[in-house]
Structures are given as C-alpha cells and as structure tokens.
Amino acid sequence: MPNKKLNILFAAAEVVPFAKTGGLADVAGALPKAIRKLGHNIIVVMPRYYEIDTTQLEKLPAPLGVPMGVMGEFWAAVYSTTLPQSDVKIYFIDYEHYFGRRNLYEDDNGGYHDNDNRFVFFSKAALQLCKMLHFTPDIIHANDWHTAAMPLLSTTRFVHDFANAASVLTIHNLQHQGTFYKGIIDVLEVGWEHFNPHELESMDSVNLLKGGIATANAITTVSKKYAQEIQTSEFGFGLDHHIRAHNGKLFGILNGVDYDEWSPTTDTYIAQNYDINNMSGKKVCKKDLQKHFALPQRDDVVLIGFVGRLVEQKGIGLIAGVINGLLGHDIQVVMLGTGEQWAEDFFNEVAYNRENFALHVGYSNTLAHKIEAGCDMFLMPSLFEPCGLNQIYSLAYGTLPIVRATGGLDDTIVNFDTQHKHGNGFKFYDATQEALYYTVLWALNIYYKEKEAFKEMQKVAMQEHFSWEDSAKAYIDVYRFALNNKRNAL
Ligand code: ADP
Ligand code: GLC
C-alpha cells in the first residue's frame, strides 16, 4: 500500500526548542512537523534534561518501567507536550539520576562516564513508551549513536512488540559513535551473539552506531555528498568499510531550514528586517552588530562572521592559523562559539590584541541571528560537515558563505564563477591554511572591487530555498524502502 499513512516513532537526544547543542536539535524539532504535514502520525521522544521545565508539561499518569538487564528495572516519569505550532506530540523521559545534570553529554572532564547506560536506557524507554501508549510504529527512526541501539533492540529484546516495524538510522555525525566497554551488552540484552565485527563489536568494545548501521533497514545521512564521503577512509572514522558493506540501504537527504525562525523579513532578534528588494535594513543590522562587539561602526569595511562549536570539525585550527594574517587587511571578523579550551583562549587573546576582531564565548541564539543578519560573509571552513545549517541560514540573510567544499557545504554552496559572475558563495577544496587564506582574500576582492557581482550573488543566495517539505518527502520514500527491505529480509 504505497499511500498508507505511517506511524513513526522519532527518537533524538536533543530537540529544539527544549534542548540543543547543535544541528541535531534543529532537525529533530523541524522534520517531524514536516512529516506530520504530509499526513503521517509521528511522535517524538527525548530525555527530560535538568534544563527542561516540567511545569508547562503534562505528566502521564503511570510511570514507565524500563528493563536494564543485569541492572534490573528502572522506573521513569513521562511528560508530554506538542512541538510548537503543530499537533506533533513530544514525550520526555524523566529519570533524574541519568538526565538531571547540568549538561547533556559531558562535564568539564569529558563525556559522562555512564553515557552508555544513559542512552541505552533512553533507547529502551522510547520503545517501552510505544507499548504504554498503544502506539504501533511502522517506522522506528533513530538519530546518531544515542539512539542507534533501537534498530537492534527492535529485532531482539523487543521483537515481539515491533515485529512489523522497520527501522531507519540517521547519521548526523559519524565522528561520535558511542563506543563503550562491552559489558553494556548485558544491559542491552540483545544477546552476545551480536557482539561480532559485523554488528556491535569494534576492537573488543561495543560500538552502538556500528550496530545500528548493520541492523537498520535503511540508513540516511544529512547530505548526498556526506553519504559518499563516509564510505572513504578520509571521512569514515574507521567505519568506512562497514558502511560500504551496507551502502545498498544508504541515502543522503539534505536538511531543510525552518524559515519561520531564520528569515530576515520576520526575524525578531535583529535590529531591522529586510528583504531581497530592500536591503537597507541589513546595513542597520551590520551597525548594530559592530556596536554589540564594540568594533568601529563602518559600513565600508567587510564584516565576516563565524557561529559554531569551537571544535576541530569546524576548521577552527585553520582559522587560528590565518586569522592574524587576515586581520592585517581591511576586514572585521566576529566569532560566536564555545568548545575546546585552547580555542577559546587563543581567540580571546586575538580579540584582546586586535581592534578588528571580536569574540563571544558562549551560546546565544540572539547573537547567532544578529551575526547572520549583520555580516557580509560567513566563514565555515569545516574539515568535514555532514550537512551544516549555518551556511544555509546565511544564504537566507544574503550573507555569503566562505566554505570548504565538503559534505553539505559542498552540496549547498555554488562557488562564484568569475567568468559568468554567478554563484552563492566562495569555496575552497584543500583543508589547508593557504587555501582558506587566499579564498578569503579572493572574496574580499569581489566585495571591494566587484560590488555589482557581489550584490548579484546576494540575490541568488536569498532566493535559495531549502524546504523541509522536500526533505520530509524524501524521508517518507526512505521509510517505504525500509519497510520493503524488512519484508524482503523476512
Ligand atoms: P553542528 O550540528 O555540527 O554543530 P550545524 O551547522 O548543523 O552544526 O548546526 C549548528 C546549530 O547550532 C546552528 O543552529 C547554530 O546556529 C547553532 N549554534 C552553534 N553554536 C552556537 C552558539 N555558540 N550560539 C548560538 N547558536 C549556536
Ligand atoms: C551534525 C552535523 C551537522 C548537521 C547536523 C544536523 O551535528 O555536524 O553538519 O547539520 O548534525 O543534521
């Protein structure tokens, strides 16, 4: 029945607007709504972290029992509400001992030592919840390593309840795989026969993502380019061979953008709204941003922004290598992010020494919006980037991205073509300081010397549209593929 409405369980470790450390939360907050708009039934499940205020949520009358193998049965409370501007139900698994902590995944000493138990617990809880709600999913959609145990759980420990459900695993980032001491098998209760190099085992440890890749009826990544890249040793983080073995069920689906949140015409965080026909508001935003960062308020200087986690993935090592050289030119640079200590220290020092560079260490949604709106260009020189959202947000604001041609950055940014004066950004290919440095200088040259071409690029950028509706339709096709795949395997 190709048009049958599907029941979907969507589980993620973070969901906007409730908890977010990165793009996974944006996707988990938007994709289910787009799927719902196509007429399917979807419920979302996430942990109830300490930061989530339960007073506005509805508490389910009965507690949820979660079997944890050798550790016994744990009991969780469950809260619920709907995703904003939708009727999509989201459920929060409330278990103080695991999730009542300051951060989602880590403290100052690194990842929480019991992340394996925390997310195996969450994965099992999401499945148990379906039973409690009498919700029979056709599709179990897991995201990243946190919930990657769900496909295998649904065909082993929970097989009786999910015999007809197919599973889909979305890889938002292959770097994080959930690798733990093998004793977790006795908590998972999937059977030690699955601890083998084709499923859960990686160098005598359990690798949850690896198990999910082996078992899910379909795998997706968040861009087509990244789907190719993860099959190579350069981007495979040791799993490229394993992924190649399963590439018949691998798909790349680009993320969309929530334009209710990211649009210069309606954005409530920015100094003045603007659109493609009247860009005067962008100048006001630029001035406002310069003021915010105590930079000289000049309209005639190029202003370049960066927003993101300060981790190697984002190319911060490359930026650190070229920043002082770049700041010798007529340029202003602003950065927003948190992450590795060396990077926070390094860029703080640059900010201290330079008049044309400013940094905000921290997480600020408001400032992220102001940077998208107020800058002329956006810097994203990632070493790898499964999809990347900020460069797509930048396009909407006419803030031209300067990116490394990898993953979703390569799929969304069209390099400026000097001959035909066309493109929506600037790309470089080698992950080297030289390539980054000269690409920024090239972009500066276009900004200062080819003003008409630059404006034309801004128009092209602002006309791009990355709709969640298109992505949701592609996910539905993958769901149907997964169901067929499951049937054929039976
Ligand atoms: P990733 O998920 O790898 O971090 P993405 O580009 O997919 O990268 O998504 C990052 C998301 O997190 C974007 O919505 C971005 O605006 C937001 N973000 C990252 N760091 C910060 C920060 N310091 N303050 C505000 N928003 C941030
Ligand atoms: C990950 C990736 C990022 C992607 C996001 C949402 O965090 O690093 O590129 O946009 O997930 O899919």
Side-chain angles (χ1 to χ4, degrees):
M1 279 193 295
N3 292 321
K4 178 180 172 278
K5 297 297 172 205
L6 300 173
N7 283 345
I8 303 140
L9 164 66
F10 188 98
E14 48 186 89
V15 182
V16 153
F18 305 102
K20 165 169 167 176
T21 68
L24 169 62
D26 296 77
V27 174
L31 174 60
K33 292 202 273 186
I35 287 173
R36 175 72 191 129
K37 280 195 189 145
L38 298 178
H40 301 279
N41 296 318
I42 182 161
I43 63 169
V44 180
V45 188
M46 72 175 289
R48 188 246 142 179
Y49 300 106
Y50 181 69
E51 67 186 75
I52 299 173
D53 177 12
T54 53
T55 52
Q56 306 298 320
L57 308 176
E58 190 184 325
K59 190 172 184 181
L60 267 56
L64 182 71
V66 183
M68 288 289 279
V70 285
M71 295 167 74
E73 186 167 39
F74 295 177
W75 291 87
V78 182
Y79 290 87
S80 80
T81 185
T82 49
L83 289 179
Q85 284 109 43
S86 80
D87 65 353
V88 175
K89 278 263 187 192
I90 173 161
Y91 295 90
F92 302 87
I93 306 298
D94 182 33
Y95 191 68
E96 186 71 21
H97 178 63
Y98 282 157
F99 301 118
R101 302 183 188 179
R102 189 160 58 92
N103 299 323
L104 273 56
Y105 312 122
E106 63 205 356
D107 57 20
D108 296 342
N109 302 318
Y112 290 128
H113 67 90
D114 56 353
N115 269 344
D116 49 355
N117 290 333
R118 295 173 78 222
F119 286 101
V120 165
F121 170 81
F122 173 61
S123 300
K124 286 184 161 185
L127 294 173
Q128 283 289 88
L129 179 69
C130 289
K131 290 199 269 172
M132 187 163 100
L133 298 173
H134 303 293
F135 180 80
T136 312
D138 301 297
I139 296 293
I140 296 167
H141 191 157
N143 292 278
D144 276 351
W145 73 265
H146 323 100
T147 46
M150 290 170 76
L152 186 56
L153 285 168
S154 71
T155 58
T156 54
R157 174 69 171 80
F158 292 79
V159 65
H160 299 300
D161 301 297
F162 298 96
N164 296 319
S167 55
V168 174
L169 171 67
T170 296
I171 302 170
H172 297 263
N173 192 331
L174 190 63
Q175 185 175 22
H176 307 290
Q177 300 179 0
T179 307
F180 300 106
Y181 171 61
K182 59 189 172 189
I184 191 69
I185 295 277
D186 287 328
V187 180
L188 270 170
E189 306 172 283
V190 292
W192 278 92
E193 65 275 20
H194 295 286
F195 187 66
N196 69 69
H198 301 291
E199 294 179 85
L200 280 172
E201 188 198 341
S202 235
M203 288 183 282
D204 206 35
S205 294
V206 160
N207 181 323
L208 292 175
L209 196 69
K210 186 175 182 184
I213 290 166
T215 322
N217 300 111
I219 322 161
T220 70
T221 69
V222 284
S223 68
K224 288 204 173 5
K225 182 72 186 267
Y226 194 60
Q228 294 165 1
E229 287 174 340
I230 56 175
Q231 301 184 51
T232 67
S233 57
E234 188 187 350
F235 294 95
F237 286 102
L239 286 187
D240 41 300
H241 177 74
H242 185 63
I243 292 170
R244 281 200 303 279
H246 292 284
N247 65 9
K249 59 178 183 182
L250 172 64
F251 302 86
I253 303 176
L254 202 65
N255 291 328
V257 169
D258 182 353
Y259 288 104
D260 290 340
E261 167 84 6
W262 298 96
S263 165
T265 52
T266 52
D267 195 322
T268 52
Y269 298 108
I270 64 178
Q272 192 171 311
N273 292 119
Y274 59 91
D275 61 36
I276 192 166
N277 298 314
N278 183 357
M279 297 284 279
S280 58
K282 190 163 175 67
K283 289 191 176 173
V284 179
C285 293
K286 181 168 177 177
K287 204 168 175 189
D288 175 60
L289 187 62
Q290 289 167 327
K291 191 168 161 214
H292 178 94
F293 276 114
L295 292 169
Q297 288 171 42
R298 287 173 50 198
D299 183 43
D300 63 338
V301 64
V302 67
L303 177 55
I304 302 185
F306 172 97
V307 178
R309 296 178 292 121
L310 298 177
V311 296
E312 277 303 316
Q313 176 194 342
K314 301 292 172 185
I316 53 166
L318 295 179
I319 301 179
V322 301
I323 192 69
N324 280 305
L326 286 177
L327 292 172
H329 296 265
D330 197 17
I331 181 178
Q332 293 180 342
V333 177
V334 294
M335 289 179 74
L336 164 66
T338 55
E340 290 170 20
Q341 194 60 48
W342 75 262
E344 294 184 1
D345 294 345
F346 176 86
F347 289 112
N348 259 324
E349 182 146 348
V350 177
Y352 180 76
N353 289 319
R354 297 285 191 157
E355 271 190 0
N356 51 347
F357 178 88
L359 164 75
H360 178 103
V361 173
Y363 189 92
S364 164
N365 191 36
T366 306
L367 199 48
H369 281 255
K370 283 179 183 289
I371 290 175
E372 292 295 0
C375 288
D376 301 297
M377 296 193 238
F378 191 88
L379 193 56
M380 210 155 158
S382 306
L383 302 185
F384 71 94
E385 196 60 76
C387 176
L389 295 170
N390 279 305
Q391 86 280 11
I392 313 186
Y393 301 155
S394 301
L395 291 174
Y397 288 79
T399 303
L400 300 184
I402 301 172
V403 306
R404 178 159 116 83
T406 181
L409 296 174
D410 201 20
D411 283 356
T412 53
I413 302 308
V414 182
N415 201 9
F416 180 60
D417 173 345
T418 35
Q419 208 187 348
H420 302 98
K421 310 283 178 214
H422 184 83
N424 65 13
F426 303 94
K427 276 201 230 190
F428 64 99
Y429 291 82
D430 294 338
T432 61
Q433 293 179 15
E434 288 72 26
L436 170 60
Y437 184 76
Y438 287 109
T439 304
V440 176
L441 289 195
W442 175 47
L444 293 196
N445 199 48
I446 307 296
Y447 178 85
Y448 285 121
K449 306 241 172 80
E450 298 199 41
K451 290 195 165 45
E452 282 314 308
F454 193 88
K455 277 191 195 147
E456 201 45 47
M457 287 177 80
Q458 286 182 306
K459 287 209 169 112
V460 170
M462 291 172 83
Q463 277 164 354
E464 304 269 13
H465 193 79
F466 295 87
S467 91
W468 267 119
E469 187 185 342
D470 291 347
S471 309
K473 284 180 182 159
Y475 275 100
I476 299 299
D477 288 344
V478 169
Y479 291 165
R480 300 214 190 276
F481 169 93
L483 283 163
N484 280 334
N485 196 6
K486 166 129 186 163
R487 266 181 226 122
N488 294 340
L490 288 177

